[in-house]
Amino acid sequence: MFFDRSERAKKAKERKAEIKELKRAMLSAGCDKAQTAADLKEFDEALDAGGAAHDDYGNARAHLENARKDIRKLLDCMAESPVAEVKESLKNLIAELGGVCHDCSIREDDLDFKSTMTNLEQMVTEYADSTAKAQTVAGNTFASILLRSELENVAAVLDDAAGWSAPDFFALGYYLGHEDRSSLKEMENEQRNTYVAAYCKEHFLDAFMEECAKAGVTERVQGMVEKYICG
C-alpha cells in the first residue's frame, strides 16, 4: 500500500511538471493564455481521475478473473475434494468477489448481482453448517448440490461481465469531473462507453486537440494520455 501511494505521488509530480512544460510550449506557439490555462487544468484533472479509474478498473478485473478461476476449480473438483479444502476455497472466492465491482463493470448498486451474492453467501453458510460435523464427500450432500447451482449462477454473471469492453479512461475521468457518476448506472456497457467518449469530445477534447495541433504538441499530449492513464 505504501509503495502504491509513493508511486502515485511520484507520477503526480511528474505529470504536473509535464503540464508546465506543455503550457510553455503552447504559449510560445501563440495560444491564448487564459484559454490554455483553463484547458490544461481540465486536461490535468482528467488525467488524474482517468488514471485512478484505470487502476481501479484493472484491480476489479483482476478480482473478476480470479473469481472465475476459483469457481471453475470448485465446480471441477468439489465433489472429490475434502470438505475443509472446499470451505477454504469458498472463503477465498467470497473475498475475490468482494473486489469485482467498478462503475464500468459490475456495479456495486447492481441489484441482480447483490441478490446473486446474497444467495451465494447463504449457500456457503448452509454448506458449512451441513458439513460441520460429518466430514463427508462434498458432492454427496444436498447443500453441495444447492451450492453448485449458485456457483454456476455467479459464473454466468462473471462470464458475461468479462466480455465487456473497457471505457476510454481519459473520457471517463473528464466525465466524472463534471457529472454525477450515478447518471451512468442505468446504461448498458457499450452505451455507457460511447456516451462518455462523446461527452468528452463535445465538451472538451475536440477543441483542446485543435489548439494542440496549432501549437504542434499533439503527439506530446497523446503520449501523456498513454503514460498517465495506462502507464
Side-chain angles (χ1 to χ4, degrees):
M1 183 65 70
F2 176 76
F3 176 78
D4 289 344
R5 289 198 298 268
S6 298
E7 282 298 301
R8 284 196 292 270
K10 180 181 177 182
K11 287 185 70 174
K13 185 177 180 179
E14 291 176 355
R15 192 185 72 244
K16 294 293 185 182
E18 288 198 52
I19 290 289
K20 289 181 180 179
E21 293 177 4
L22 184 59
K23 183 177 181 179
R24 284 194 291 268
M26 294 181 73
L27 293 179
S28 295
C31 294
D32 179 77
K33 184 177 181 179
Q35 186 63 52
T36 298
D39 284 347
L40 291 182
K41 182 177 183 295
E42 296 272 28
F43 182 56
D44 185 40
E45 291 174 350
L47 287 177
D48 187 30
H54 175 271
D55 292 347
D56 290 345
Y57 181 85
N59 184 57
R61 293 288 290 197
H63 282 295
L64 188 148
E65 289 305 322
N66 288 339
R68 293 176 73 204
K69 292 176 184 177
D70 288 348
I71 291 176
R72 287 196 294 269
K73 183 176 180 181
L74 276 163
L75 291 175
D76 288 344
C77 305
M78 64 184 293
E80 293 79 27
S81 299
V83 169
E85 184 177 309
V86 174
K87 288 180 180 179
E88 185 63 24
S89 295
L90 289 169
K91 179 181 177 181
N92 293 337
L93 172 62
I94 294 298
E96 292 289 354
L97 288 170
V100 303
C101 291
H102 185 274
D103 284 343
C104 294
S105 184
I106 300 173
R107 294 178 57 92
E108 290 185 1
D109 54 9
D110 185 321
L111 295 181
D112 289 338
F113 183 68
K114 280 186 176 181
S115 176
T116 299
M117 279 297 298
T118 297
N119 291 339
L120 175 62
E121 289 168 354
Q122 181 180 345
M123 292 299 100
V124 169
T125 298
E126 291 178 1
Y127 172 81
D129 290 345
S130 70
T131 58
K133 294 181 180 179
Q135 297 296 300
T136 57
V137 176
N140 291 337
T141 67
F142 179 64
S144 179
I145 296 173
L146 296 178
L147 176 59
R148 176 179 291 275
S149 176
E150 204 55 47
L151 286 172
E152 290 171 346
N153 291 337
V154 176
V157 173
L158 298 182
D159 289 346
D160 184 44
W164 297 350
S165 59
D168 177 329
F169 289 101
F170 178 83
L172 178 63
Y174 180 82
Y175 183 88
L176 294 177
H178 295 80
E179 302 291 343
D180 184 349
R181 68 196 316 131
S182 66
S183 60
L184 302 175
K185 70 179 183 179
E186 300 300 331
M187 298 183 187
E188 296 294 334
N189 184 67
E190 291 304 324
Q191 179 190 11
R192 179 181 58 242
N193 291 351
T194 300
Y195 176 75
V196 165
Y199 179 95
C200 181
K201 282 172 62 65
E202 178 184 349
H203 290 87
F204 174 68
L205 193 58
D206 282 350
F208 176 58
M209 293 308 294
E210 283 184 14
E211 291 299 304
C212 291
K214 292 176 186 177
V217 295
T218 300
E219 290 187 6
R220 183 187 299 189
V221 166
Q222 291 172 339
M224 290 178 68
V225 171
E226 181 67 24
K227 178 180 180 180
Y228 293 109
I229 299 289
C230 303

